């Protein structure tokens, strides 16, 4: 029993990664109710801290719906991207429009039709889901702001044709290089058999890719 006058302690569990992952999974399930052919999201926690220049750097419901388009494409056996998953073609756009995403402009030279946005109808349909996820994301951001030690990067939870994420070039001191998904390299070093040094992603290479 707390003494009288003691301020109530509020434990906001939505600031923890497992609960944010659960919120992402719930939002995905909400999308599945409208699109039953959408596969399950295998690892929602992998989206936390994961960014993609092609699919959207900021985690939001709009990006989650974008990822769901790739999921539908995979379920239908449709190749919706090319150029290592960066270029989103018209097959991607057709499914995106089915799911309530718009792309009013011409395709981007390098990413194609990736810059999709929520249509007014989709905003109305998913309003409760969007609001719930925004609250969880806001709480998570507030809890992790300035905490550089907390990192939750994992393999991209992508069901599309990019093979688990966009691969970039990693190099070692002897000049050899490999193509690797950045989040996979972040899990553990990949050592070069020639010089024994770990492969790394140069900043200039990572920015260009």
């Amino acid at each position: 029993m707390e003494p009288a006058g003691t301020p109530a302690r509020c434990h906001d569990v939505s600031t923890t990664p497992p609960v944010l992952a659960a919120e992402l999974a719930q939002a995905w399930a909400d999308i599945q109710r409208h699109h039953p052919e959408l596969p399950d999201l295998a690892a929602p926690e992998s989206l936390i801290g994961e960014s993609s220049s092609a699919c959207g750097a900021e985690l939001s419901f709009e990006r989650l719906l974008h990822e769901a388009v790739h999921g539908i494409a995979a379920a239908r056996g449709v190749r919706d991207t090319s150029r290592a998953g960066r270029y989103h073609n018209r097959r991607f756009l057709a499914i995106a429009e089915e799911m309530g995403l718009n792309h009013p402009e011409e395709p981007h030279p390098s990413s194609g039709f990736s810059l999709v946005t929520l249509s007014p109808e989709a905003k109305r349909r998913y309003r409760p889901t969007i609001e719930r996820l925004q609250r969880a994301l806001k709480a998570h951001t507030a809890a992790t702001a300035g905490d550089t030690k907390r990192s939750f990067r994992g393999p991209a939870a992508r069901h599309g044709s990019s093979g688990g994420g966009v691969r970039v070039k990693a190099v070692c001191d002897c000049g050899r290089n490999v193509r690797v998904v950045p989040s996979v390299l972040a899990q553990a070093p990949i050592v070069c058999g020639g010089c024994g040094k770990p492969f790394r992603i140069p900043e200039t290479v990572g920015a260009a890719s």
Side-chain angles (χ1 to χ4, degrees):
M1 177 77 66
E2 295 284 359
T6 301
R9 280 183 273 186
C10 178
H11 301 281
D12 187 356
V13 295
S14 65
T15 62
T16 64
V19 176
L20 178 53
E23 292 286 358
L24 288 166
Q26 181 58 54
W28 191 267
D30 291 347
I31 299 171
Q32 285 179 312
R33 280 197 286 273
H34 295 280
H35 303 278
E37 65 182 312
L38 177 63
D40 291 338
L41 183 58
E45 65 276 4
S46 69
L47 288 173
I48 304 171
E50 189 74 43
S51 64
S52 168
S53 59
C55 297
E58 182 179 353
L59 185 54
S60 64
F61 180 78
E62 189 171 83
R63 182 182 164 202
L64 196 65
L65 195 59
H66 178 129
E67 296 285 353
V69 175
H70 291 303
I72 293 289
R76 295 178 181 176
V78 172
R79 184 175 178 82
D80 62 338
T81 63
S82 59
R83 304 177 192 173
R86 288 189 295 272
Y87 191 88
H88 293 54
N89 58 36
R90 290 188 180 277
R91 290 184 287 275
F92 169 86
L93 179 59
I95 300 173
E97 289 174 342
E98 284 182 38
M99 300 184 70
L101 291 166
N102 291 334
H103 191 286
E105 302 175 355
E106 291 297 311
H108 187 276
S110 61
S111 61
F113 294 97
S114 69
L115 303 177
V116 286
T117 58
L118 284 170
S119 68
E121 180 183 353
K123 289 179 181 178
R124 289 191 296 270
R125 176 187 303 162
Y126 294 109
R127 179 174 296 168
T129 304
I130 293 169
E131 291 176 350
R132 188 179 65 243
L133 185 57
Q134 283 178 336
R135 286 194 296 270
L137 287 167
K138 184 177 180 181
H140 174 74
T141 300
T144 58
D147 187 355
T148 57
K149 293 181 180 179
R150 299 180 69 176
S151 176
F152 307 100
R153 298 183 63 82
R158 193 181 319 287
H159 300 277
S161 58
S162 57
V166 177
R167 290 169 173 78
V168 299
K169 184 168 71 174
V171 301
C172 69
D173 289 348
C174 68
R176 301 177 71 198
N177 65 79
V178 295
R179 304 290 294 187
V180 63
V181 177
S183 58
V184 172
L185 187 62
Q187 293 177 15
I190 297 177
V191 179
C192 173
C195 66
K197 298 293 182 63
F199 286 96
R200 66 186 188 284
I201 301 173
E203 292 184 6
T204 52
V205 173
S209 301

